[in-house]
Amino acid sequence: MLSLVTYLRERPGARVGEVARAFGITERELVGDLNVLPMCGTSFRGGDLLDIDTDGERIWWHNADDVAQPLRLSSDEAISLLVAARAVAGLPGLRERDRAALTRAVAKLEAAAGDAAEGSARVGVTFEAEGSVFADADRAITERRRLWLRYYSSGRGEMTEREVDPIRLVTEGHTYLEGWCRLSEDRRMFRLDRIADIKVLDVPSDPPPLELRDLSEGLVRPAEDDPQVVLEVGPGGRWVTEYYTYENAMELPDGGLRITLRTPDPAGLLRLALRLGADGRITEPPDLAERARSTAADALARYADTGAAG
């Protein structure tokens, strides 16, 4: 379609049949493209859209001269672009050739922006730790090197150290590193904001041959034979459906939910039950529900013992 724009600029009133033959497509496909082009333009601010139409035989471009003007950045666009580019160029772990290319681009933008560039020099951006983790993970994937992680496992409630052969970075709400974990000898997803420390090792990454999973239905898809757990939460516990993959959630009369989910490690939900407190409880399976009650009772007893000792 980009080539089509150039082609039509040079051929006012071009015939539909000739253009279709030139691009090796059907006339119907060409007309479909022509219906999309008027939604495109040279500025994301709106306006400057391509005024192209057809009567079925010929194609007319009514504002070719208007959209042929060089792209110009407004002051706020130039400042935003320069601030973002400088921030990314300062990321730790960025490949040096990329940093050098970005630095050259910043210099060209500053020259082109003129006075507008002065405002960008007074603005700085500081990335949170996740930015550094992302840069190291991205570098390890590109250079095919193994990673060492110190990672907080929410299921276990503990910090672990492990070596991982990285596969890819994916984003769904949070950013995750998918990799082959040498500790568990299995494919795992690691949330970047739970990585406390990361190092790119001088060891080649060597994950076993794996077929990339289709993540269109979510990152976490429990197996059908995983144990089923039922939670009943009040209105204050409805947030559980935003953070946990579940099979169904049935409304309760008090405004709460009965949530059914599957997990390979039901005991990992004990921490969730304690966190919910009065806002929810595990009802099935019975042995897990009893274990949650006894765990809560033990926690309360420890508070009582500490108070007595104090």
Side-chain angles (χ1 to χ4, degrees), residues 14-286:
R15 292 187 177 278
V16 171
E18 294 176 357
V19 176
R21 284 193 296 273
F23 282 84
I25 59 177
T26 66
E27 292 186 14
R28 182 177 179 180
E29 289 173 322
L30 174 60
V31 171
D33 288 343
L34 294 175
N35 289 333
V36 173
L37 284 177
M39 305 177 198
C40 308
T42 58
S43 172
F44 58 79
R45 296 190 303 273
D48 301 328
L49 297 180
L50 305 179
D51 186 5
I52 296 176
D53 65 25
T54 177
D55 59 7
E57 293 185 5
R58 292 180 177 270
I59 304 169
W60 305 100
W61 188 351
H62 303 292
N63 65 339
D65 293 338
D66 295 337
V67 299
Q69 298 300 319
L71 176 64
R72 297 184 182 277
L73 295 176
S74 65
S75 296
D76 58 333
E77 290 169 342
I79 290 174
S80 297
L81 192 56
L82 284 167
V83 169
R86 288 198 189 99
V88 173
L91 277 175
L94 189 67
R95 293 184 292 272
E96 287 307 314
R97 64 178 181 274
D98 294 336
R99 195 189 311 278
L102 198 52
T103 301
R104 291 194 299 271
V106 167
K108 292 178 181 178
L109 280 171
E110 286 177 333
D115 294 340
E118 295 181 4
S120 67
R122 297 193 294 270
V123 181
V125 175
T126 301
F127 287 96
E128 296 180 357
E130 186 175 323
S132 175
V133 171
F134 182 97
D136 284 339
D138 181 58
R139 182 161 63 94
I141 292 171
T142 302
E143 298 177 2
R144 299 182 181 277
R145 294 163 64 184
R146 186 172 297 174
L147 286 166
W148 172 86
L149 307 179
R150 193 158 64 89
Y151 184 75
Y152 175 74
S153 173
S154 59
R156 298 179 182 179
E158 62 183 9
M159 196 75 72
T160 60
E161 295 184 10
R162 58 186 82 200
E163 292 187 3
V164 175
D165 291 327
I167 297 173
R168 58 177 169 171
L169 289 161
V170 294
T171 300
E172 185 182 286
H174 297 276
T175 303
Y176 296 80
L177 168 68
E178 182 178 11
W180 182 261
C181 177
R182 295 286 168 177
L183 178 64
S184 58
E185 287 299 317
D186 199 359
R187 175 164 36 192
R188 289 287 186 270
M189 287 284 190
F190 302 96
R191 252 177 63 171
L192 262 58
D193 60 348
R194 291 177 179 168
I195 297 177
D197 199 4
I198 185 171
K199 294 178 184 176
V200 181
L201 302 177
D202 290 325
V203 178
S205 174
D206 187 28
L210 296 170
E211 181 178 349
L212 292 180
R213 295 183 299 154
D214 178 10
L215 303 179
S216 60
E217 297 181 4
L219 296 179
V220 180
R221 286 180 291 174
E224 293 184 0
D225 56 353
D226 283 344
Q228 189 178 76
V229 178
V230 178
L231 300 166
E232 289 188 359
V233 301
R238 295 177 69 98
W239 57 266
V240 171
T241 58
E242 300 176 12
Y243 292 91
Y244 289 82
T245 301
Y246 62 94
E247 290 188 336
N248 60 70
M250 186 174 67
E251 293 283 345
L252 296 176
D254 64 353
L257 295 171
R258 179 176 289 112
I259 303 168
T260 303
L261 53 83
R262 292 186 181 275
T263 173
D265 180 25
L269 295 176
L270 289 174
R271 295 182 66 252
L272 172 60
L274 293 178
R275 182 180 176 186
L276 283 168
D279 286 326
R281 62 194 180 97
I282 296 173
T283 60
E284 295 180 25

